[in-house]
Amino acid sequence: MSANSRLTIAAHALAWIGLYQRQGHPVATSEQIADSANTNPVVIRRLLGELRAAGLVESHRGAGAGWTLTRELAQITLLEVYDAVDTGPLFALHRGTPNQGCVVGHGIQPAMTNIYAGVEETVREELRKTTLEDVLQAVLAAR
Amino acid sequence: MSANSRLTIAAHALAWIGLYQRQGHPVATSEQIADSANTNPVVIRRLLGELRAAGLVESHRGAGAGWTLTRELAQITLLEVYDAVDTGPLFALHRGTPNQGCVVGHGIQPAMTNIYAGVEETVREELRKTTLEDVLQAVLAAR
DNA sequence: CTCCATCGTAACTATTGTTGTTACATCAGA
DNA sequence: TCTGATGTAACAACAATAGTTACGATGGAG
């Protein structure tokens, strides 16, 4: 699986904005965040754009523009971020269609779909338990 | 995330072998399984090779060769298959190293590593609850 | 003891998805 | 009007999985 880092970068960005605001700065720029995450500002803008579509952040344009949180970090769960960035399914079915003339080929996809749905639900429950404030506190605890 | 289908194909192959053996056939060939899964025999051989390394199947060479289960389907959990095929982490950290001179950049990886470890553990618990016999029964129930 | 079906495996290509980069239009406050 | 930022398209770079071809190795059947 090519695990993807979108959830990690999104959490990083939100934690960064939250801490920055807490330090008295009104807005954070994609360039500042990109510098912290060691990536390109466009990557950050794309990701924050998805978070904005989910209502987690706001952006402002023009001079002195940037990004702000719409809620406290404690009011944002990792599940919301996960849904916002839409990382796709954890497990995939067959790339092509299995042989429908075979009993196993015919029944395997519905069977695995059910199983995977159950797994994804437990993942969602787990992500719902963690807020971005938890993430920031864990970040600050690393010394 | 580029979800991968390795777990799906592995479950498909095991269910196929189990059903085939139950029908009185001693061994299954990678070509038969590939035909059911609509993929290439080499893909199946590679995957079953990993399952063999984990002790879930045996292979025999020479004429009349093929694959056999080493245990009943009911004695194999999806977790064992998941571990055997080693799909890698569900979530990735940053591709590059975040800015260690930044508080968030410094602490984010340990923080997310912990969180992801918890999520993966719940996934493992969930996969442990399902056996390949459960998979086969679900397959046969699809009509 | 030869034949041949099948595995074992290397090497390469194809495909897919993510990430990184460049470029530039757009916006809005000073 | 200038300026610093976002918005977004387009494309390149990179990585991982999957598919394919090729061929050597094995070992039971005859």
Side-chain angles (χ1 to χ4, degrees):
Chain A
M1 162 176 321
S2 68
N4 82 46
S5 61
R6 293 156 59 73
L7 180 56
T8 300
I9 303 295
H12 186 146
L14 289 172
W16 199 96
I17 298 171
L19 179 60
Y20 199 58
Q21 289 191 346
R22 203 163 290 186
Q23 291 169 343
H25 303 92
V27 298
T29 70
S30 60
E31 186 164 358
Q32 294 170 318
I33 300 165
D35 180 62
S36 172
N38 188 23
T39 183
N40 192 293
V42 174
V43 172
I44 299 299
R45 290 205 289 269
R46 278 199 293 237
L47 217 35
L48 287 180
E50 296 179 53
L51 299 185
R52 179 186 50 216
L56 302 181
V57 296
E58 283 177 349
S59 65
H60 297 282
R61 306 180 64 162
W67 303 84
T68 52
L69 299 179
T70 59
R71 302 184 219 158
E72 294 293 316
L73 290 179
Q75 306 306 318
I76 304 175
T77 69
L78 270 185
L79 176 59
E80 290 175 281
V81 182
Y82 178 72
D83 282 337
V85 300
D86 188 27
T87 56
L90 256 22
F91 302 103
L93 296 180
H94 309 64
R95 182 178 288 191
T97 304
N99 185 343
Q100 297 298 300
C102 164
V103 180
V104 177
H106 179 261
I108 189 72
Q109 290 202 331
M112 297 308 291
T113 296
N114 260 345
I115 291 165
Y116 291 156
V119 174
E120 300 239 13
E121 188 48 40
T122 68
V123 168
R124 298 174 62 79
E125 281 168 25
E126 193 66 17
L127 291 176
R128 183 155 32 219
K129 294 178 187 169
T130 305
T131 70
L132 266 292
E133 180 67 30
D134 296 331
V135 172
L136 179 57
Q137 289 310 316
V139 164
L140 296 178
R143 300 242 160 240
Chain B
M1 159 179 322
S2 67
N4 82 47
S5 61
R6 292 156 59 75
L7 180 57
T8 300
I9 304 294
H12 185 146
L14 289 172
W16 199 95
I17 298 171
L19 179 60
Y20 198 58
Q21 289 191 348
R22 203 164 289 187
Q23 291 169 342
H25 303 91
V27 298
T29 69
S30 60
E31 186 164 359
Q32 293 170 318
I33 300 165
D35 181 62
S36 172
N38 188 22
T39 182
N40 191 291
V42 174
V43 172
I44 300 299
R45 290 206 287 271
R46 277 199 292 235
L47 216 34
L48 287 179
E50 295 181 52
L51 299 185
R52 179 187 50 217
L56 303 180
V57 296
E58 283 178 349
S59 66
H60 298 281
R61 305 178 64 160
W67 303 85
T68 52
L69 299 179
T70 58
R71 301 184 219 159
E72 294 293 317
L73 289 179
Q75 306 306 318
I76 304 174
T77 68
L78 270 185
L79 176 59
E80 289 175 282
V81 182
Y82 178 73
D83 282 336
V85 300
D86 187 29
T87 55
L90 258 21
F91 302 102
L93 297 181
H94 309 63
R95 183 179 286 191
T97 304
N99 185 344
Q100 297 298 301
C102 163
V103 179
V104 177
H106 179 260
I108 190 72
Q109 291 201 329
M112 296 309 290
T113 296
N114 260 346
I115 292 165
Y116 291 156
V119 174
E120 300 238 13
E121 189 49 42
T122 68
V123 167
R124 298 174 61 80
E125 281 168 24
E126 193 67 16
L127 291 176
R128 183 154 35 216
K129 294 177 186 168
T130 305
T131 70
L132 267 292
E133 181 67 30
D134 296 331
V135 172
L136 179 58
Q137 291 309 317
V139 164
L140 296 177
R143 298 241 161 243

